[in-house]
Amino acid sequence: MSGSGEASRRRSEEPESTAEYYRLLNEFTRDRLGGLHSARCVLYSVDFAEMEQLQVQGRWAEAGEVLAAAARSLEAAGADLMLICTNTMHKVADVVGAAVSIPLLHLADATADAVRASGLRRVGLLGTAFTMEQDFYRGRLETAGLDVRVPDADGRALVHRVIYEELCIGIVRDDSRTAYQKVIKDLVAEGAEGVILGCTEIELLIGSGDSPVPVFPTARLHAEAAVVAALGRGDAAP
């Protein structure tokens, strides 16, 4: 997504990656089934301000219970496949998955599958500080056979700040895009053959044309994998 000069641009006031997931699920369903088909889905949107405070304060058990309660509500509403539409909150994916009897499609697994399918192994990872620095996400990618690189301390701080102070509230800045491109170039210089956009909001800022190596947009990959999984047993819309 491009802006004009150095000006900020604010999109809608709704949670950015949630809106993108909804759009992608419907787009992939229509592409798969044709005509006027759209995705049958049940959406539970939490208050991100509350979740961000739990993240910062390290109250992950409480955050997990919030999402587990949401998951139970979705299952009760008839969902037969579960997505957590954020990379960072996969830190509590085991708690959420254990709260329901339906399968949870893990975002890191969908991403790792796409990277391996491309023939690459060494990848850079951009995301929140939690995602880049902790093992819950990197470790799962590495278990899947990937060699994962993250930016240096300054790069990680920059990537994290832009996510929370800009992208999460729909602000897209040209200077932030330029800064991310520098971080990506540094990862490539250290051997990264591709870059995982490991925060769903990063896709609002960075696309394939902004990187010298392939990028892996996790929201898009996750949504596509969900539609494939949901439609794999028949021709009815998910």
Side-chain angles (χ1 to χ4, degrees):
M1 183 174 299
S2 63
S4 175
E6 294 301 316
S8 301
R9 186 153 81 92
R10 184 179 294 275
R11 287 161 52 94
S12 66
E13 294 299 324
E14 62 189 323
E16 299 302 313
S17 65
T18 303
E20 185 69 359
Y21 261 93
Y22 184 71
R23 184 186 68 80
L24 288 168
L25 288 169
N26 282 289
E27 175 185 302
F28 288 132
T29 299
R30 185 180 62 247
D31 289 347
R32 181 87 176 266
L33 300 179
L36 299 177
H37 282 290
S38 57
R40 292 179 185 149
C41 62
V42 183
L43 171 66
Y44 193 115
S45 181
V46 302
D47 184 350
F48 183 68
E50 295 177 5
M51 299 305 295
E52 191 267 345
Q53 284 300 304
L54 294 176
Q55 292 173 356
V56 170
Q57 295 167 10
R59 295 158 59 190
W60 292 102
E62 292 177 55
E65 282 306 313
V66 171
L67 294 193
R72 287 189 287 268
S73 295
L74 292 171
E75 183 176 27
D80 52 19
L81 178 68
M82 189 77 59
L83 306 181
I84 302 174
C85 300
T86 158
N87 289 270
T88 298
M89 292 312 298
H90 276 73
K91 182 174 174 70
V92 298
D94 289 346
V95 173
V96 176
V100 294
S101 61
I102 59 178
L104 172 69
L105 180 59
H106 200 290
L107 203 161
D109 294 345
T111 301
D113 287 347
V115 174
R116 289 198 308 266
S118 74
L120 305 183
R121 189 177 71 87
R122 293 189 302 275
V123 289
L125 173 63
L126 303 181
T128 67
F130 311 108
T131 299
M132 292 185 289
E133 296 172 0
Q134 298 182 22
D135 190 57
F136 69 91
Y137 195 89
R138 287 181 58 184
R140 196 165 181 116
L141 294 173
E142 289 167 349
T143 298
L146 303 184
D147 178 358
V148 182
R149 320 288 175 91
V150 297
D152 62 19
D154 288 343
R156 295 196 303 273
L158 171 100
V159 170
H160 182 89
R161 180 191 63 76
V162 169
I163 290 169
Y164 280 91
E165 296 182 10
E166 299 176 18
L167 300 179
C168 281
I169 56 175
I171 295 173
V172 180
R173 296 180 58 91
D174 285 349
D175 56 353
S176 295
R177 180 180 295 105
T178 299
Y180 266 52
Q181 289 173 321
K182 172 63 166 58
V183 172
I184 290 171
K185 288 179 181 177
D186 290 344
L187 287 170
V188 172
E190 293 180 5
E193 303 166 318
V195 176
I196 294 172
L197 307 183
C199 173
T200 51
E201 277 82 9
I202 293 177
E203 294 165 53
L204 304 172
L205 182 68
I206 295 295
S208 59
D210 299 306
S211 170
V213 296
V215 297
F216 295 90
T218 54
R220 173 170 285 273
L221 295 173
H222 200 201
E224 185 171 19
V227 170
V228 170
L231 295 180
R233 293 187 296 275
D235 293 330

